[in-house]
Amino acid sequence: MAFDRLEAMRAFCRIVELGSFTRAANALAMAKTTVSGQVQALETQLGIKLLHRTTRRVTPTTDGSAYYERARILLDDIDELEATMSQSHSVARGRVKVEMPSPVGRFLLIPALPDFVARHPQIQLDINCSERIVDLVQEGVDCAIRGGVITDPDLVCRPIGQMRFCLCASPTYLAGATPLHSPEDLAQHRFLAFVFPASGRQMHPELSRGAERFIIDQPPAMRFNSGGAYIAAAEAGLGIVAVPMAEARLSIEAGKLEEVLPDWGPASMPMSLVYPYSRHLSARVRAFIDWAIAVMGDDPLWRSQ
């Protein structure tokens, strides 16, 4: 088979990003032997060693790292050129891999996806909804929506909205519990805590009313690291939870939950859209980013103001 330098470059870049010949072959829908042969041919063509291979991981050499940075930019430019020179110049096409928190996906973006599909029928989305913080470059993720303060200097960060929270409990639980008139009354209640799966850190909601502040730091009756399990526990009457308002809305409307201390709203979590500085922003990724920002900006439960 003739040596295809561009395909070999794509294979090499995926190996660097995923750290494995097997994972790269799976991502490219190719045989592992084919991917290995492409990289060997590329090394022969260049006259340099691009990868260190061990039984546990594959990493780029110094020359390989330098080659990857230039090759990644070149491949993204080629993809962009082919897209803009296609039969319909205005049509963005290709695959976009996106990571986002489960509440953002379930209650905001996924319900709105028919609009995106209608606007961009030639874009295929790979959407992963979880609370895990992934390495965008290593896992080949084009962009991600993240909550909280973004500190990674390798990421471009665009603030796009807020995840608003509320305190809720089931009517059954509240009927048999001490009346709630102020945050201090929470000490007499069963509080259920949420633990962030990626860090194991427990969320301590901060309530506010005007200039007044109150942090819920009492020992929890139970802890959960799944948003679905957390809200199910509240519906089962196990105690009070602090959940995204968008996630609680359907349960409140169905009478399964009631908002408590509505004058003392938990602090919102800032939401940002991030992508790697090193990754060229293609038309297809830009199309998703612009659409997601507009969707969040149009929703009163998620927009910044």
Side-chain angles (χ1 to χ4, degrees):
M1 183 174 63
F3 174 60
D4 187 325
R5 181 177 295 185
L6 286 178
E7 289 304 311
M9 289 170 61
R10 291 186 191 279
F12 166 71
C13 287
R14 295 307 285 136
I15 292 167
V16 172
E17 291 163 356
L18 299 177
S20 163
F21 278 88
T22 300
R23 287 196 289 270
N26 291 338
L28 294 167
M30 300 169 63
K32 180 181 175 182
T33 53
T34 301
V35 171
S36 178
Q38 286 179 329
V39 173
Q40 289 176 7
L42 184 61
E43 289 178 323
T44 300
Q45 181 81 15
L46 296 171
I48 59 175
K49 184 177 181 180
L50 295 172
L51 297 170
H52 291 301
R53 302 164 174 84
T54 70
T55 56
R56 309 183 81 179
R57 186 163 177 80
V58 180
T59 56
T61 63
T62 301
D63 287 334
S65 294
Y67 186 79
Y68 168 79
E69 294 298 332
R70 298 293 298 274
R72 183 72 269 168
I73 294 172
L74 177 60
L75 291 172
D76 285 342
D77 285 344
I78 290 173
D79 290 342
E80 180 77 359
L81 176 62
E82 290 179 346
T84 57
M85 297 303 292
S86 62
Q87 291 182 349
S88 176
H89 291 187
S90 63
V91 175
R93 64 187 67 218
R95 187 167 300 278
V96 179
K97 190 173 182 180
V98 185
E99 188 87 16
M100 65 185 70
S102 298
V104 176
R106 290 177 59 203
F107 301 104
L108 179 66
L109 292 187
I110 291 176
L113 276 180
D115 173 68
F116 181 82
V117 173
R119 292 168 182 256
H120 305 285
Q122 300 301 317
I123 296 179
Q124 297 84 46
L125 295 177
D126 285 349
I127 298 178
N128 185 30
C129 295
S130 72
E131 318 314 323
R132 190 168 64 97
I133 304 299
V134 305
D135 186 313
L136 272 61
V137 173
Q138 286 289 329
E139 301 197 25
V141 177
D142 293 296
C143 61
I145 296 174
R146 291 186 177 170
V149 178
I150 307 300
T151 59
D152 190 334
D154 295 326
L155 296 178
V156 177
C157 175
R158 294 180 61 178
I160 60 173
Q162 298 283 332
M163 184 186 292
R164 291 176 170 78
F165 285 77
C166 60
L167 293 180
C168 294
S170 73
T172 302
Y173 169 82
L174 293 173
T178 303
L180 264 170
H181 301 295
S182 71
E184 288 76 12
D185 296 330
L186 288 169
Q188 308 302 316
H189 284 259
R190 291 172 56 86
F191 180 71
L192 310 181
F194 182 79
V195 177
F196 295 101
S199 64
R201 180 176 61 87
Q202 178 180 319
M203 182 175 71
H204 294 281
E206 179 180 334
L207 309 182
S208 63
R209 186 178 65 180
E212 300 177 89
R213 298 288 185 271
F214 184 92
I215 297 177
I216 303 176
D217 58 2
Q218 67 194 62
M222 295 182 182
R223 304 201 313 167
F224 298 85
N225 69 352
S226 160
Y230 188 47
I231 202 164
E235 291 177 351
L238 293 173
I240 297 173
V241 296
V243 294
M245 191 174 295
E247 189 167 9
R249 178 172 55 179
L250 292 178
S251 295
I252 292 174
E253 291 174 353
K256 296 178 180 179
L257 292 178
E258 292 182 11
E259 187 175 0
V260 299
L261 298 177
D263 293 338
W264 288 85
S268 298
M269 179 183 293
M271 306 302 296
S272 301
L273 201 148
V274 300
Y275 54 90
Y277 271 111
S278 60
R279 180 91 31 99
H280 174 71
L281 202 59
S282 66
R284 60 185 180 272
V285 177
R286 189 180 303 112
F288 177 81
I289 288 175
D290 292 344
W291 175 82
I293 290 174
V295 171
M296 187 167 283
D298 288 340
D299 193 308
L301 289 181
W302 295 93
R303 63 189 176 209
S304 295
Q305 296 182 9

